[in-house]
Amino acid sequence: MLRRRLRPARPRRRRFAGLVLGLLLGAGLPAAAQQPPAGDEEEAAVVEQARVLRQVSASVVGVRALAAPDAASSESLGQVRQGSGVVIDAQGLVLTIGYLVLEADKVDLLLPDGRALPGRVVAYDLATGFALVQPVVPVQLVPAPLGQSGGLDTEEPYVIATGGPDGAMSVAQVVSQRPFSGYWEYHVEDAIFTVPPRPDHSGAGLFNARGELLGIGSLFVMEALGPGRHQPGNMFVPVDLYKAVQDELRRHGASRRSTRAWLGAHCVDHQGLVRVVRVQAGSPAEAAGLQPGDVILKLDGEPVGRLEAFYRRLWSDPRAEREVTLEVGRGAGLLTLTARTADRMKTLRRARGI
């Protein structure tokens, strides 16, 4: 019996949600559905959907990480982090969201039966936001097939699944796919936005009705429908981004795009401008004199406009460590600041052991 909780579904997805509810609460299926009569395609479809949901449930695990004592990321993420991940191959490799295991000194994979398996981080990819965790001990887990995350149907029901002893499944709707820029110097194309929101989104798997993995949960957002349109939801990093770099991640622990310039300035789009809201301690931005409230107008003489344009300009030069010039609005004045960017991957603390 699957010990999973179902969160409420919208009325138009009630039939699909009802099937999920019956499975997850241990009610099972009607006797006719358990052994469908010959030629009864509808009942056969119900049984097949039940099989898919069980497979989804078995492929998601919990992820618990303890950051290194001197990890700078603990200031914003905390030292103890917990979320989920999805098994993606027969060796138990788990795909999860990177911030869960960023600078982690210890990682455990949590199974539905309460077991905790030690794991090691084999990849952390700054560019996509993904991470890979491998169980240290041999274990048989059910891998999820990777789907196609582009052009998802907004009328179809999808499933969000989390792992571990408290794992849950719920029905979700994809409401938009669009580029997403994060304040922590992060940008992805075709991010997936879903409703209703799940608070336990970190590393959760987004699946289609065939049980294929479409995305990994990253954020709770207030504008799932798009900028300026209030609708709480979640953002998922699309699995197509992982498929494009999976060989690099397995061989090198990161993609080439993760070696890029980093300032350490947390910025947001504000009235068509890039506004600084926080400067990370010890960062190139702090050394250059950038302050919260500053508005970044130009980078190396080129107007940046919005956050996405700022990032594209910052990363357009393949050199991760270089000198850049920032034209900044501060109060009623203009300043020109010079910063020496860093390779972010070199600044991260490494695990001391499992």
Side-chain angles (χ1 to χ4, degrees):
M1 181 179 69
L2 299 177
R3 295 179 180 176
R4 302 276 179 163
R5 293 173 285 110
L6 180 74
R7 301 178 189 278
R10 290 189 175 186
R12 66 176 177 171
R13 298 192 296 277
R14 191 170 294 149
R15 182 181 178 191
F16 180 77
L19 172 61
V20 181
L21 181 61
L23 290 169
L24 304 187
L25 297 183
L29 296 171
Q34 293 173 18
Q35 294 186 357
D40 191 337
E41 295 182 1
E42 183 175 357
E43 294 293 356
V46 170
V47 173
E48 172 59 16
Q49 189 65 71
R51 183 197 66 80
V52 168
L53 290 171
R54 291 190 180 98
Q55 177 179 298
V56 166
S57 174
S59 69
V60 186
V61 298
V63 176
R64 182 176 60 206
L66 178 67
D70 52 352
S73 58
S74 293
E75 181 181 349
S76 56
L77 298 172
Q79 189 176 14
V80 180
R81 305 156 196 177
Q82 190 153 328
S84 301
V86 181
V87 180
I88 57 170
D89 73 8
Q91 286 69 51
L93 187 67
V94 171
L95 180 65
T96 187
I97 199 67
Y99 62 74
L100 284 178
V101 298
L102 177 62
E103 300 185 297
D105 195 43
K106 184 178 186 295
V107 179
D108 289 321
L109 301 177
L110 310 177
L111 306 188
D113 61 10
R115 285 183 296 163
L117 303 177
R120 64 184 181 91
V121 179
V122 297
Y124 169 76
D125 195 50
L126 184 68
T128 62
F130 287 128
L132 293 173
V133 179
Q134 183 74 55
V136 174
V137 296
V139 61
Q140 267 200 316
L141 299 173
V142 178
L146 304 183
Q148 301 287 334
S149 57
L152 299 181
D153 191 337
T154 57
E155 296 301 317
E156 289 295 316
Y158 297 91
V159 171
I160 296 174
T162 57
D166 297 323
M169 295 178 72
S170 63
V171 179
Q173 179 186 8
V174 171
V175 292
S176 66
Q177 283 187 264
R178 63 183 190 275
F180 172 81
S181 297
Y183 64 84
W184 59 97
E185 298 183 41
Y186 175 72
H187 179 83
V188 294
E189 297 292 329
D190 297 320
I192 304 168
F193 294 84
T194 65
V195 297
R198 287 277 296 263
D200 53 347
H201 51 76
S202 300
L206 177 68
F207 297 86
N208 61 21
R210 295 183 298 278
E212 297 169 334
L213 179 65
L214 303 175
I216 295 293
S218 178
L219 297 170
F220 174 90
V221 297
M222 294 303 298
E223 298 178 327
L225 295 172
R229 303 175 66 187
H230 180 81
Q231 173 61 66
N234 295 124
M235 188 275 275
F236 286 78
V237 183
V239 75
D240 283 357
L241 291 181
Y242 169 71
K243 291 190 290 186
V245 297
Q246 59 182 323
D247 291 339
E248 288 182 86
L249 266 57
R250 293 184 186 223
R251 288 199 306 266
H252 308 298
S255 67
R256 286 170 292 179
R257 288 179 53 235
S258 289
T259 301
R260 62 191 189 192
W262 175 71
L263 282 169
H266 291 184
C267 302
V268 296
D269 282 316
H270 180 71
Q271 299 179 348
L273 299 171
V274 177
R275 180 176 293 274
V276 180
V277 294
R278 180 174 175 268
V279 176
Q280 189 163 325
S283 68
E286 183 185 60
L290 204 62
Q291 298 179 8
D294 287 348
V295 175
I296 301 176
L297 303 171
K298 294 182 180 180
L299 176 63
D300 290 335
E302 294 290 331
V304 294
R306 298 183 65 84
L307 197 55
E308 179 179 350
F310 174 53
Y311 291 158
R312 291 189 184 280
R313 180 64 181 163
L314 180 64
W315 302 329
S316 63
D317 191 312
R319 296 172 298 166
E321 299 169 314
R322 69 181 194 276
E323 193 173 271
V324 298
T325 301
L326 301 169
E327 187 172 309
V328 173
R330 182 178 295 169
L334 291 176
L335 299 174
T336 299
L337 305 177
T338 300
R340 179 74 183 178
T341 64
D343 180 348
R344 176 60 168 156
M345 297 298 289
K346 292 181 180 179
T347 70
L348 301 177
R349 304 295 300 174
R350 302 298 179 186
R352 298 178 179 176
I354 296 170

